[in-house]
Structures are given as C-alpha cells and as structure tokens.
Short mmCIF file of all heavy atoms in Angstrom, two decimals:
data_model
loop_
_atom_site.label_atom_id
_atom_site.label_comp_id
_atom_site.label_asym_id
_atom_site.label_seq_id
_atom_site.Cartn_x
_atom_site.Cartn_y
_atom_site.Cartn_z
N MET A 164 -2.48 -3.09 6.66
CA MET A 164 -1.20 -3.37 6.05
C MET A 164 -1.39 -3.54 4.54
O MET A 164 -2.46 -3.90 4.09
CB MET A 164 -0.57 -4.61 6.64
CG MET A 164 -0.12 -4.49 8.06
SD MET A 164 0.85 -5.92 8.52
CE MET A 164 1.98 -5.16 9.64
N ILE A 165 -0.30 -3.30 3.83
CA ILE A 165 -0.31 -3.41 2.38
C ILE A 165 0.90 -4.24 1.95
O ILE A 165 1.95 -4.18 2.59
CB ILE A 165 -0.33 -2.02 1.73
CG1 ILE A 165 -0.54 -2.11 0.22
CG2 ILE A 165 0.92 -1.24 2.08
CD1 ILE A 165 -0.82 -0.77 -0.43
N THR A 166 0.75 -5.01 0.88
CA THR A 166 1.87 -5.82 0.41
C THR A 166 2.73 -5.01 -0.57
O THR A 166 2.25 -4.04 -1.17
CB THR A 166 1.39 -7.09 -0.30
OG1 THR A 166 0.71 -6.73 -1.50
CG2 THR A 166 0.50 -7.93 0.59
N VAL A 167 3.96 -5.44 -0.74
CA VAL A 167 4.84 -4.74 -1.66
C VAL A 167 4.36 -4.88 -3.11
O VAL A 167 4.53 -3.96 -3.91
CB VAL A 167 6.32 -5.17 -1.52
CG1 VAL A 167 6.86 -4.76 -0.18
CG2 VAL A 167 6.51 -6.65 -1.75
N SER A 168 3.73 -5.97 -3.45
CA SER A 168 3.18 -6.10 -4.80
C SER A 168 2.03 -5.12 -5.02
O SER A 168 1.87 -4.58 -6.11
CB SER A 168 2.76 -7.54 -5.09
OG SER A 168 1.77 -7.97 -4.19
N GLU A 169 1.24 -4.86 -3.99
CA GLU A 169 0.17 -3.86 -4.09
C GLU A 169 0.75 -2.46 -4.25
O GLU A 169 0.22 -1.65 -5.02
CB GLU A 169 -0.74 -3.93 -2.86
CG GLU A 169 -1.58 -5.19 -2.80
CD GLU A 169 -2.30 -5.37 -1.48
OE1 GLU A 169 -1.79 -4.95 -0.42
OE2 GLU A 169 -3.41 -5.93 -1.51
N ILE A 170 1.84 -2.17 -3.54
CA ILE A 170 2.50 -0.87 -3.69
C ILE A 170 3.01 -0.70 -5.12
O ILE A 170 2.82 0.35 -5.73
CB ILE A 170 3.66 -0.72 -2.68
CG1 ILE A 170 3.11 -0.64 -1.26
CG2 ILE A 170 4.50 0.52 -3.01
CD1 ILE A 170 4.17 -0.73 -0.19
N ALA A 171 3.62 -1.72 -5.67
CA ALA A 171 4.11 -1.66 -7.05
C ALA A 171 2.96 -1.42 -8.02
O ALA A 171 3.08 -0.61 -8.95
CB ALA A 171 4.85 -2.95 -7.41
N GLU A 172 1.85 -2.08 -7.80
CA GLU A 172 0.68 -1.91 -8.68
C GLU A 172 0.11 -0.49 -8.57
O GLU A 172 -0.17 0.15 -9.58
CB GLU A 172 -0.39 -2.93 -8.32
CG GLU A 172 -1.60 -2.88 -9.23
CD GLU A 172 -2.64 -3.93 -8.88
OE1 GLU A 172 -2.29 -4.96 -8.31
OE2 GLU A 172 -3.82 -3.67 -9.19
N ILE A 173 -0.03 0.01 -7.36
CA ILE A 173 -0.59 1.35 -7.13
C ILE A 173 0.29 2.43 -7.75
O ILE A 173 -0.21 3.38 -8.34
CB ILE A 173 -0.79 1.61 -5.63
CG1 ILE A 173 -1.92 0.72 -5.09
CG2 ILE A 173 -1.07 3.08 -5.35
CD1 ILE A 173 -1.99 0.67 -3.58
N THR A 174 1.61 2.29 -7.60
CA THR A 174 2.54 3.31 -8.08
C THR A 174 2.91 3.13 -9.55
O THR A 174 3.58 3.98 -10.12
CB THR A 174 3.84 3.33 -7.25
OG1 THR A 174 4.49 2.05 -7.38
CG2 THR A 174 3.55 3.64 -5.79
N GLY A 175 2.50 2.02 -10.14
CA GLY A 175 2.86 1.74 -11.52
C GLY A 175 4.32 1.35 -11.66
O GLY A 175 4.93 1.47 -12.72
N GLY A 176 4.88 0.86 -10.57
CA GLY A 176 6.30 0.50 -10.54
C GLY A 176 6.55 -0.96 -10.84
O GLY A 176 5.63 -1.74 -11.08
N ILE A 177 7.81 -1.30 -10.80
CA ILE A 177 8.25 -2.68 -11.02
C ILE A 177 8.85 -3.18 -9.71
O ILE A 177 9.68 -2.51 -9.10
CB ILE A 177 9.31 -2.74 -12.13
CG1 ILE A 177 8.73 -2.22 -13.43
CG2 ILE A 177 9.84 -4.16 -12.29
CD1 ILE A 177 9.77 -1.99 -14.51
N LEU A 178 8.42 -4.34 -9.28
CA LEU A 178 8.90 -4.92 -8.03
C LEU A 178 10.20 -5.66 -8.28
O LEU A 178 10.28 -6.56 -9.10
CB LEU A 178 7.85 -5.87 -7.46
CG LEU A 178 8.21 -6.64 -6.20
CD1 LEU A 178 8.50 -5.68 -5.06
CD2 LEU A 178 7.09 -7.59 -5.84
N HIS A 179 11.24 -5.24 -7.58
CA HIS A 179 12.53 -5.93 -7.60
C HIS A 179 12.76 -6.46 -6.19
O HIS A 179 12.74 -5.70 -5.24
CB HIS A 179 13.67 -4.98 -7.97
CG HIS A 179 13.55 -4.43 -9.34
ND1 HIS A 179 13.99 -5.11 -10.44
CD2 HIS A 179 13.02 -3.28 -9.79
CE1 HIS A 179 13.74 -4.39 -11.52
NE2 HIS A 179 13.15 -3.26 -11.14
N SER A 180 12.97 -7.75 -6.08
CA SER A 180 13.13 -8.33 -4.76
C SER A 180 14.15 -9.45 -4.80
O SER A 180 14.04 -10.35 -5.63
CB SER A 180 11.79 -8.88 -4.27
OG SER A 180 11.96 -9.58 -3.07
N SER A 181 15.14 -9.36 -3.92
CA SER A 181 16.13 -10.43 -3.86
C SER A 181 15.54 -11.68 -3.23
O SER A 181 15.98 -12.78 -3.46
CB SER A 181 17.35 -9.96 -3.06
OG SER A 181 16.97 -9.60 -1.76
N SER A 182 14.50 -11.51 -2.42
CA SER A 182 13.89 -12.65 -1.73
C SER A 182 12.63 -13.15 -2.44
O SER A 182 12.05 -14.13 -2.03
CB SER A 182 13.56 -12.27 -0.30
OG SER A 182 12.63 -11.22 -0.29
N LYS A 183 12.20 -12.46 -3.48
CA LYS A 183 11.00 -12.84 -4.24
C LYS A 183 9.75 -12.90 -3.38
O LYS A 183 8.85 -13.68 -3.62
CB LYS A 183 11.21 -14.19 -4.95
CG LYS A 183 12.45 -14.26 -5.80
CD LYS A 183 12.37 -13.33 -6.96
CE LYS A 183 13.59 -13.53 -7.84
NZ LYS A 183 13.99 -12.36 -8.54
N LYS A 184 9.68 -12.06 -2.37
CA LYS A 184 8.51 -12.06 -1.48
C LYS A 184 7.60 -10.89 -1.82
O LYS A 184 7.65 -9.84 -1.21
CB LYS A 184 8.96 -11.99 -0.03
CG LYS A 184 9.64 -13.26 0.43
CD LYS A 184 9.86 -13.23 1.91
CE LYS A 184 10.43 -14.56 2.35
NZ LYS A 184 10.55 -14.67 3.77
N SER A 185 6.73 -11.09 -2.78
CA SER A 185 5.81 -10.03 -3.18
C SER A 185 4.67 -9.87 -2.18
O SER A 185 3.93 -8.91 -2.25
CB SER A 185 5.25 -10.32 -4.57
OG SER A 185 4.53 -11.52 -4.57
N ASP A 186 4.55 -10.80 -1.23
CA ASP A 186 3.50 -10.71 -0.23
C ASP A 186 3.99 -10.09 1.07
O ASP A 186 3.26 -10.04 2.05
CB ASP A 186 2.88 -12.08 0.03
CG ASP A 186 3.90 -13.10 0.53
OD1 ASP A 186 5.11 -12.85 0.41
OD2 ASP A 186 3.47 -14.15 1.05
N TYR A 187 5.24 -9.59 1.09
CA TYR A 187 5.78 -8.93 2.27
C TYR A 187 4.90 -7.73 2.61
O TYR A 187 4.56 -6.94 1.74
CB TYR A 187 7.22 -8.48 2.01
CG TYR A 187 7.94 -7.95 3.23
CD1 TYR A 187 8.56 -8.82 4.11
CD2 TYR A 187 7.98 -6.59 3.49
CE1 TYR A 187 9.21 -8.35 5.23
CE2 TYR A 187 8.63 -6.10 4.61
CZ TYR A 187 9.25 -6.98 5.49
OH TYR A 187 9.89 -6.51 6.59
N ARG A 188 4.53 -7.59 3.87
CA ARG A 188 3.58 -6.54 4.28
C ARG A 188 4.27 -5.40 5.02
O ARG A 188 5.16 -5.64 5.83
CB ARG A 188 2.49 -7.13 5.16
CG ARG A 188 1.62 -8.11 4.42
CD ARG A 188 0.45 -8.56 5.28
NE ARG A 188 -0.46 -9.39 4.52
CZ ARG A 188 -1.40 -8.93 3.72
NH1 ARG A 188 -1.59 -7.65 3.60
NH2 ARG A 188 -2.18 -9.74 3.05
N VAL A 189 3.82 -4.19 4.72
CA VAL A 189 4.30 -3.00 5.42
C VAL A 189 3.09 -2.22 5.95
O VAL A 189 2.00 -2.32 5.41
CB VAL A 189 5.15 -2.09 4.51
CG1 VAL A 189 6.43 -2.79 4.08
CG2 VAL A 189 4.38 -1.63 3.29
N SER A 190 3.33 -1.46 7.02
CA SER A 190 2.22 -0.69 7.60
C SER A 190 2.57 0.78 7.81
O SER A 190 1.71 1.54 8.22
CB SER A 190 1.79 -1.31 8.93
OG SER A 190 2.85 -1.28 9.86
N GLN A 191 3.82 1.16 7.54
CA GLN A 191 4.22 2.55 7.74
C GLN A 191 4.87 3.10 6.48
O GLN A 191 5.67 2.42 5.85
CB GLN A 191 5.19 2.65 8.90
CG GLN A 191 4.59 2.20 10.21
CD GLN A 191 5.59 2.26 11.34
OE1 GLN A 191 6.43 3.14 11.41
NE2 GLN A 191 5.48 1.31 12.25
N ILE A 192 4.54 4.34 6.16
CA ILE A 192 5.14 5.04 5.02
C ILE A 192 6.12 6.06 5.58
O ILE A 192 5.78 6.82 6.48
CB ILE A 192 4.07 5.73 4.17
CG1 ILE A 192 3.16 4.69 3.53
CG2 ILE A 192 4.71 6.63 3.12
CD1 ILE A 192 1.97 5.27 2.81
N LEU A 193 7.33 6.07 5.01
CA LEU A 193 8.37 6.97 5.49
C LEU A 193 8.92 7.78 4.33
O LEU A 193 9.23 7.23 3.27
CB LEU A 193 9.49 6.14 6.13
CG LEU A 193 10.66 6.89 6.75
CD1 LEU A 193 10.21 7.67 7.99
CD2 LEU A 193 11.76 5.91 7.13
N THR A 194 9.03 9.10 4.52
CA THR A 194 9.67 9.96 3.53
C THR A 194 10.83 10.74 4.14
O THR A 194 11.58 11.38 3.43
CB THR A 194 8.66 10.96 2.91
OG1 THR A 194 8.11 11.76 3.95
CG2 THR A 194 7.56 10.24 2.15
N ASP A 195 10.96 10.68 5.45
CA ASP A 195 12.05 11.37 6.16
C ASP A 195 12.79 10.32 6.98
O ASP A 195 12.25 9.79 7.96
CB ASP A 195 11.46 12.45 7.06
CG ASP A 195 12.52 13.27 7.79
OD1 ASP A 195 13.67 12.80 7.92
OD2 ASP A 195 12.19 14.37 8.25
N SER A 196 14.02 10.03 6.60
CA SER A 196 14.78 8.96 7.24
C SER A 196 15.01 9.20 8.73
O SER A 196 15.24 8.25 9.49
CB SER A 196 16.13 8.77 6.55
OG SER A 196 16.92 9.93 6.67
N ARG A 197 14.90 10.42 9.18
CA ARG A 197 15.12 10.74 10.60
C ARG A 197 13.97 10.29 11.48
O ARG A 197 14.11 10.24 12.71
CB ARG A 197 15.34 12.24 10.77
CG ARG A 197 16.57 12.76 10.04
CD ARG A 197 16.61 14.26 10.04
NE ARG A 197 15.47 14.76 9.25
CZ ARG A 197 15.21 16.04 9.03
NH1 ARG A 197 15.99 16.97 9.54
NH2 ARG A 197 14.18 16.40 8.30
N THR A 198 12.85 9.95 10.88
CA THR A 198 11.66 9.59 11.68
C THR A 198 11.36 8.09 11.68
O THR A 198 10.25 7.69 12.02
CB THR A 198 10.43 10.37 11.19
OG1 THR A 198 10.17 10.02 9.82
CG2 THR A 198 10.64 11.87 11.30
N LEU A 199 12.33 7.27 11.34
CA LEU A 199 12.14 5.82 11.31
C LEU A 199 11.80 5.29 12.70
O LEU A 199 12.51 5.57 13.66
CB LEU A 199 13.41 5.13 10.79
CG LEU A 199 13.38 3.61 10.74
CD1 LEU A 199 12.35 3.13 9.71
CD2 LEU A 199 14.76 3.07 10.40
N LEU A 200 10.72 4.53 12.78
CA LEU A 200 10.30 3.93 14.05
C LEU A 200 10.48 2.41 14.04
O LEU A 200 11.05 1.84 14.95
CB LEU A 200 8.84 4.27 14.36
CG LEU A 200 8.53 5.75 14.59
CD1 LEU A 200 7.04 5.96 14.78
CD2 LEU A 200 9.31 6.28 15.77
N ASP A 201 9.95 1.75 13.04
CA ASP A 201 9.99 0.30 12.97
C ASP A 201 10.39 -0.11 11.55
O ASP A 201 9.55 -0.18 10.65
CB ASP A 201 8.63 -0.29 13.34
CG ASP A 201 8.61 -1.80 13.33
OD1 ASP A 201 9.68 -2.43 13.17
OD2 ASP A 201 7.52 -2.37 13.45
N ALA A 202 11.66 -0.40 11.35
CA ALA A 202 12.18 -0.70 10.02
C ALA A 202 11.49 -1.89 9.37
O ALA A 202 11.28 -1.91 8.16
CB ALA A 202 13.69 -0.95 10.10
N GLU A 203 11.13 -2.87 10.15
CA GLU A 203 10.53 -4.10 9.62
C GLU A 203 9.20 -3.87 8.91
O GLU A 203 8.82 -4.63 8.03
CB GLU A 203 10.34 -5.14 10.73
CG GLU A 203 11.62 -5.79 11.18
CD GLU A 203 12.20 -6.72 10.14
OE1 GLU A 203 11.44 -7.47 9.49
OE2 GLU A 203 13.42 -6.70 9.97
N THR A 204 8.46 -2.85 9.31
CA THR A 204 7.13 -2.62 8.74
C THR A 204 7.05 -1.34 7.92
O THR A 204 5.96 -0.84 7.66
CB THR A 204 6.06 -2.57 9.85
OG1 THR A 204 6.32 -1.45 10.70
CG2 THR A 204 6.04 -3.84 10.66
N THR A 205 8.20 -0.81 7.50
CA THR A 205 8.24 0.49 6.84
C THR A 205 8.56 0.37 5.35
O THR A 205 9.40 -0.43 4.94
CB THR A 205 9.31 1.38 7.51
OG1 THR A 205 8.91 1.65 8.85
CG2 THR A 205 9.50 2.69 6.79
N VAL A 206 7.90 1.21 4.56
CA VAL A 206 8.26 1.41 3.17
C VAL A 206 8.79 2.84 3.06
O VAL A 206 8.13 3.78 3.53
CB VAL A 206 7.10 1.16 2.18
CG1 VAL A 206 5.89 2.00 2.50
CG2 VAL A 206 7.55 1.39 0.74
N PHE A 207 9.99 3.01 2.51
CA PHE A 207 10.59 4.33 2.37
C PHE A 207 10.45 4.81 0.93
O PHE A 207 10.87 4.13 0.00
CB PHE A 207 12.07 4.29 2.75
CG PHE A 207 12.77 5.61 2.57
CD1 PHE A 207 12.49 6.68 3.40
CD2 PHE A 207 13.71 5.79 1.57
CE1 PHE A 207 13.13 7.91 3.23
CE2 PHE A 207 14.37 6.99 1.40
CZ PHE A 207 14.07 8.06 2.23
N PHE A 208 9.83 5.97 0.77
CA PHE A 208 9.71 6.60 -0.54
C PHE A 208 10.88 7.57 -0.69
O PHE A 208 10.97 8.56 0.05
CB PHE A 208 8.38 7.34 -0.67
CG PHE A 208 7.22 6.44 -0.96
CD1 PHE A 208 6.66 5.65 0.03
CD2 PHE A 208 6.70 6.37 -2.25
CE1 PHE A 208 5.59 4.80 -0.25
CE2 PHE A 208 5.63 5.52 -2.53
CZ PHE A 208 5.08 4.75 -1.52
N ALA A 209 11.78 7.29 -1.61
CA ALA A 209 12.98 8.10 -1.82
C ALA A 209 12.62 9.29 -2.72
O ALA A 209 12.75 9.24 -3.94
CB ALA A 209 14.08 7.27 -2.45
N LEU A 210 12.16 10.35 -2.08
CA LEU A 210 11.74 11.54 -2.81
C LEU A 210 12.93 12.43 -3.12
O LEU A 210 13.88 12.52 -2.34
CB LEU A 210 10.71 12.32 -1.99
CG LEU A 210 9.46 11.55 -1.57
CD1 LEU A 210 8.55 12.44 -0.73
CD2 LEU A 210 8.72 11.02 -2.78
N GLN A 211 12.87 13.09 -4.27
CA GLN A 211 13.92 14.02 -4.67
C GLN A 211 13.41 15.44 -4.52
O GLN A 211 12.33 15.76 -5.01
CB GLN A 211 14.34 13.76 -6.11
CG GLN A 211 14.99 12.41 -6.29
CD GLN A 211 15.31 12.10 -7.73
OE1 GLN A 211 14.46 12.24 -8.59
NE2 GLN A 211 16.53 11.69 -7.97
N GLY A 212 14.18 16.27 -3.81
CA GLY A 212 13.80 17.65 -3.61
C GLY A 212 14.92 18.59 -4.01
O GLY A 212 15.95 18.17 -4.54
N ILE A 213 14.74 19.85 -3.72
CA ILE A 213 15.74 20.85 -4.06
C ILE A 213 17.01 20.67 -3.25
O ILE A 213 18.11 20.78 -3.77
CB ILE A 213 15.16 22.28 -3.84
CG1 ILE A 213 14.01 22.51 -4.81
CG2 ILE A 213 16.23 23.33 -4.00
CD1 ILE A 213 13.21 23.77 -4.52
N ARG A 214 16.87 20.36 -1.97
CA ARG A 214 18.02 20.25 -1.07
C ARG A 214 18.51 18.82 -0.86
O ARG A 214 19.68 18.61 -0.57
CB ARG A 214 17.69 20.85 0.28
CG ARG A 214 17.43 22.32 0.23
CD ARG A 214 17.20 22.86 1.60
NE ARG A 214 16.80 24.26 1.50
CZ ARG A 214 16.31 24.95 2.48
NH1 ARG A 214 16.14 24.39 3.65
NH2 ARG A 214 15.98 26.21 2.30
N ASN A 215 17.63 17.85 -0.93
CA ASN A 215 18.01 16.47 -0.62
C ASN A 215 17.45 15.50 -1.65
O ASN A 215 16.45 15.77 -2.31
CB ASN A 215 17.50 16.07 0.76
CG ASN A 215 18.22 16.75 1.88
OD1 ASN A 215 19.44 16.75 1.91
ND2 ASN A 215 17.48 17.34 2.79
N ASP A 216 18.11 14.37 -1.73
CA ASP A 216 17.66 13.27 -2.58
C ASP A 216 17.51 12.06 -1.68
O ASP A 216 18.49 11.56 -1.13
CB ASP A 216 18.68 13.01 -3.68
CG ASP A 216 18.27 11.90 -4.62
OD1 ASP A 216 17.26 11.21 -4.35
OD2 ASP A 216 18.96 11.71 -5.63
N GLY A 217 16.30 11.60 -1.52
CA GLY A 217 16.02 10.46 -0.65
C GLY A 217 16.80 9.22 -0.98
O GLY A 217 17.04 8.37 -0.11
N HIS A 218 17.24 9.08 -2.22
CA HIS A 218 18.02 7.91 -2.61
C HIS A 218 19.32 7.81 -1.82
O HIS A 218 19.82 6.71 -1.58
CB HIS A 218 18.31 7.94 -4.11
CG HIS A 218 17.09 7.85 -4.94
ND1 HIS A 218 16.33 8.95 -5.27
CD2 HIS A 218 16.46 6.79 -5.52
CE1 HIS A 218 15.30 8.58 -6.01
NE2 HIS A 218 15.35 7.26 -6.17
N SER A 219 19.87 8.93 -1.40
CA SER A 219 21.14 8.91 -0.67
C SER A 219 20.99 8.36 0.75
O SER A 219 21.99 8.02 1.39
CB SER A 219 21.75 10.31 -0.62
OG SER A 219 20.92 11.20 0.09
N PHE A 220 19.77 8.23 1.25
CA PHE A 220 19.54 7.72 2.59
C PHE A 220 19.23 6.22 2.61
O PHE A 220 19.09 5.62 3.68
CB PHE A 220 18.39 8.48 3.26
CG PHE A 220 18.68 9.95 3.40
CD1 PHE A 220 18.10 10.86 2.53
CD2 PHE A 220 19.55 10.41 4.36
CE1 PHE A 220 18.37 12.22 2.64
CE2 PHE A 220 19.83 11.77 4.49
CZ PHE A 220 19.25 12.67 3.62
N ILE A 221 19.15 5.61 1.46
CA ILE A 221 18.82 4.18 1.39
C ILE A 221 19.84 3.30 2.11
O ILE A 221 19.44 2.42 2.88
CB ILE A 221 18.59 3.74 -0.08
CG1 ILE A 221 17.30 4.39 -0.58
CG2 ILE A 221 18.55 2.23 -0.20
CD1 ILE A 221 17.03 4.18 -2.06
N PRO A 222 21.14 3.47 1.91
CA PRO A 222 22.09 2.60 2.63
C PRO A 222 21.92 2.67 4.16
O PRO A 222 21.93 1.63 4.83
CB PRO A 222 23.46 3.14 2.20
CG PRO A 222 23.21 3.77 0.88
CD PRO A 222 21.83 4.36 0.98
N GLU A 223 21.74 3.87 4.69
CA GLU A 223 21.56 4.04 6.14
C GLU A 223 20.30 3.31 6.62
O GLU A 223 20.34 2.61 7.64
CB GLU A 223 21.45 5.53 6.45
CG GLU A 223 21.06 5.84 7.88
CD GLU A 223 20.72 7.31 8.08
OE1 GLU A 223 21.10 8.15 7.24
OE2 GLU A 223 20.06 7.60 9.08
N LEU A 224 19.21 3.46 5.89
CA LEU A 224 17.96 2.81 6.29
C LEU A 224 18.05 1.29 6.15
O LEU A 224 17.51 0.56 6.97
CB LEU A 224 16.80 3.36 5.47
CG LEU A 224 16.42 4.80 5.81
CD1 LEU A 224 15.48 5.37 4.75
CD2 LEU A 224 15.80 4.87 7.19
N ALA A 225 18.73 0.83 5.12
CA ALA A 225 18.90 -0.61 4.94
C ALA A 225 19.71 -1.21 6.09
O ALA A 225 19.40 -2.30 6.58
CB ALA A 225 19.57 -0.90 3.60
N GLU A 226 20.73 -0.49 6.53
CA GLU A 226 21.53 -0.95 7.66
C GLU A 226 20.69 -1.05 8.94
O GLU A 226 20.95 -1.88 9.80
CB GLU A 226 22.72 -0.02 7.90
CG GLU A 226 23.78 -0.08 6.82
CD GLU A 226 24.47 -1.43 6.76
OE1 GLU A 226 24.71 -2.04 7.82
OE2 GLU A 226 24.76 -1.88 5.63
N LYS A 227 19.68 -0.21 9.04
CA LYS A 227 18.78 -0.22 10.21
C LYS A 227 17.68 -1.25 10.09
O LYS A 227 16.88 -1.42 11.00
CB LYS A 227 18.18 1.17 10.42
CG LYS A 227 19.21 2.20 10.85
CD LYS A 227 18.57 3.56 11.04
CE LYS A 227 19.60 4.58 11.51
NZ LYS A 227 19.01 5.92 11.67
N GLY A 228 17.60 -1.93 8.93
CA GLY A 228 16.63 -3.01 8.77
C GLY A 228 15.47 -2.75 7.83
O GLY A 228 14.62 -3.62 7.64
N THR A 229 15.41 -1.57 7.23
CA THR A 229 14.34 -1.29 6.27
C THR A 229 14.55 -2.18 5.04
O THR A 229 15.66 -2.31 4.54
CB THR A 229 14.34 0.19 5.87
OG1 THR A 229 14.22 0.99 7.05
CG2 THR A 229 13.18 0.50 4.93
N LYS A 230 13.47 -2.80 4.58
CA LYS A 230 13.56 -3.75 3.47
C LYS A 230 12.85 -3.29 2.20
O LYS A 230 13.08 -3.83 1.14
CB LYS A 230 13.00 -5.09 3.90
CG LYS A 230 13.79 -5.77 4.99
CD LYS A 230 13.11 -7.06 5.39
CE LYS A 230 13.88 -7.87 6.40
NZ LYS A 230 14.34 -7.19 7.57
N VAL A 231 11.96 -2.31 2.32
CA VAL A 231 11.13 -1.91 1.19
C VAL A 231 11.37 -0.44 0.85
O VAL A 231 11.26 0.42 1.72
CB VAL A 231 9.63 -2.15 1.48
CG1 VAL A 231 8.78 -1.77 0.29
CG2 VAL A 231 9.38 -3.60 1.88
N PHE A 232 11.71 -0.20 -0.42
CA PHE A 232 12.01 1.15 -0.89
C PHE A 232 11.28 1.40 -2.20
O PHE A 232 11.24 0.53 -3.06
CB PHE A 232 13.52 1.32 -1.13
CG PHE A 232 14.35 1.08 0.10
CD1 PHE A 232 14.82 -0.18 0.41
CD2 PHE A 232 14.64 2.13 0.95
CE1 PHE A 232 15.57 -0.40 1.55
CE2 PHE A 232 15.40 1.93 2.10
CZ PHE A 232 15.87 0.65 2.40
N VAL A 233 10.74 2.59 -2.35
CA VAL A 233 10.15 3.02 -3.62
C VAL A 233 11.10 4.09 -4.15
O VAL A 233 11.32 5.10 -3.50
CB VAL A 233 8.72 3.57 -3.44
CG1 VAL A 233 8.19 4.12 -4.76
CG2 VAL A 233 7.80 2.48 -2.89
N VAL A 234 11.66 3.82 -5.33
CA VAL A 234 12.68 4.70 -5.90
C VAL A 234 12.27 5.13 -7.30
O VAL A 234 11.45 4.48 -7.96
CB VAL A 234 14.05 4.00 -5.95
CG1 VAL A 234 14.51 3.64 -4.55
CG2 VAL A 234 14.02 2.77 -6.82
N SER A 235 12.87 6.23 -7.76
CA SER A 235 12.60 6.70 -9.11
C SER A 235 13.83 6.63 -10.00
O SER A 235 13.80 7.06 -11.14
CB SER A 235 12.08 8.15 -9.07
OG SER A 235 13.02 8.99 -8.46
N GLU A 236 14.92 6.10 -9.45
CA GLU A 236 16.14 5.91 -10.24
C GLU A 236 16.84 4.65 -9.78
O GLU A 236 16.56 4.14 -8.69
CB GLU A 236 17.07 7.12 -10.11
CG GLU A 236 17.56 7.38 -8.70
CD GLU A 236 18.39 8.64 -8.60
OE1 GLU A 236 18.02 9.66 -9.19
OE2 GLU A 236 19.43 8.60 -7.92
N THR A 237 17.73 4.16 -10.60
CA THR A 237 18.47 2.95 -10.27
C THR A 237 19.34 3.20 -9.04
O THR A 237 20.02 4.21 -8.95
CB THR A 237 19.34 2.50 -11.45
OG1 THR A 237 18.50 2.30 -12.58
CG2 THR A 237 20.09 1.24 -11.14
N VAL A 238 19.30 2.27 -8.14
CA VAL A 238 20.09 2.37 -6.90
C VAL A 238 21.11 1.26 -6.93
O VAL A 238 20.77 0.09 -7.12
CB VAL A 238 19.17 2.25 -5.67
CG1 VAL A 238 19.98 2.29 -4.39
CG2 VAL A 238 18.12 3.32 -5.68
N SER A 239 22.37 1.60 -6.71
CA SER A 239 23.42 0.59 -6.78
C SER A 239 23.57 -0.19 -5.48
O SER A 239 24.19 -1.24 -5.45
CB SER A 239 24.76 1.24 -7.14
OG SER A 239 25.12 2.18 -6.15
N TYR A 240 22.99 0.32 -4.40
CA TYR A 240 23.10 -0.36 -3.13
C TYR A 240 22.24 -1.62 -3.13
O TYR A 240 21.05 -1.56 -3.39
CB TYR A 240 22.66 0.56 -1.98
CG TYR A 240 22.91 -0.01 -0.61
CD1 TYR A 240 24.18 0.04 -0.05
CD2 TYR A 240 21.89 -0.61 0.11
CE1 TYR A 240 24.42 -0.49 1.20
CE2 TYR A 240 22.12 -1.14 1.36
CZ TYR A 240 23.39 -1.07 1.91
OH TYR A 240 23.63 -1.61 3.14
N ILE A 241 22.84 -2.76 -2.90
CA ILE A 241 22.12 -4.04 -2.89
C ILE A 241 21.74 -4.37 -1.46
O ILE A 241 22.56 -4.35 -0.56
CB ILE A 241 23.01 -5.18 -3.42
CG1 ILE A 241 23.57 -4.81 -4.77
CG2 ILE A 241 22.25 -6.49 -3.42
CD1 ILE A 241 22.76 -5.17 -5.95
N ILE A 242 20.49 -4.68 -1.28
CA ILE A 242 19.98 -5.01 0.06
C ILE A 242 19.91 -6.51 0.21
O ILE A 242 19.44 -7.22 -0.62
CB ILE A 242 18.58 -4.38 0.28
CG1 ILE A 242 18.73 -2.87 0.12
CG2 ILE A 242 18.01 -4.74 1.60
CD1 ILE A 242 17.43 -2.14 0.02
#
C-alpha cells in the first residue's frame, strides 16, 4: 500500500484533502472508471486522451466511494 502523501511526492503534485489525512492508504491504481473494484482502496488517475477526459468521471467515482484522485486540472467537484 502507498499513502496519498507518497503519491503526491512521487508525482510532484500538491495534496489537497478535506480531511487532512495524508496517511490515507491506497492499494489499487485506476485509469478506467469502468473497472472500479474497491473504491475505498483506489486512487484514480484522471488521464486526458483524444476521446475522453478522466476528469469527467470524478463525480461518478466519488459517488461510488473513491476518495483519492490524481488530476492535472482544477476540479470543481468537492468530495
């Protein structure tokens, strides 16, 4: 498992958390929202492609319980 603070460090990102839990652990990496198995342990990477933008799937995944997202643009959806 890896913590969200470790993910932020590895990706060179900034950790934004409403719960301030930088030690929250995840064990699954997801890039395709259709393959979600366990929302509680998943980090979703919102990749942008020619046909789809992963950022548009964040609300759906959040409703299913996903708590950790790696994004490349500002997301207005508050989790």
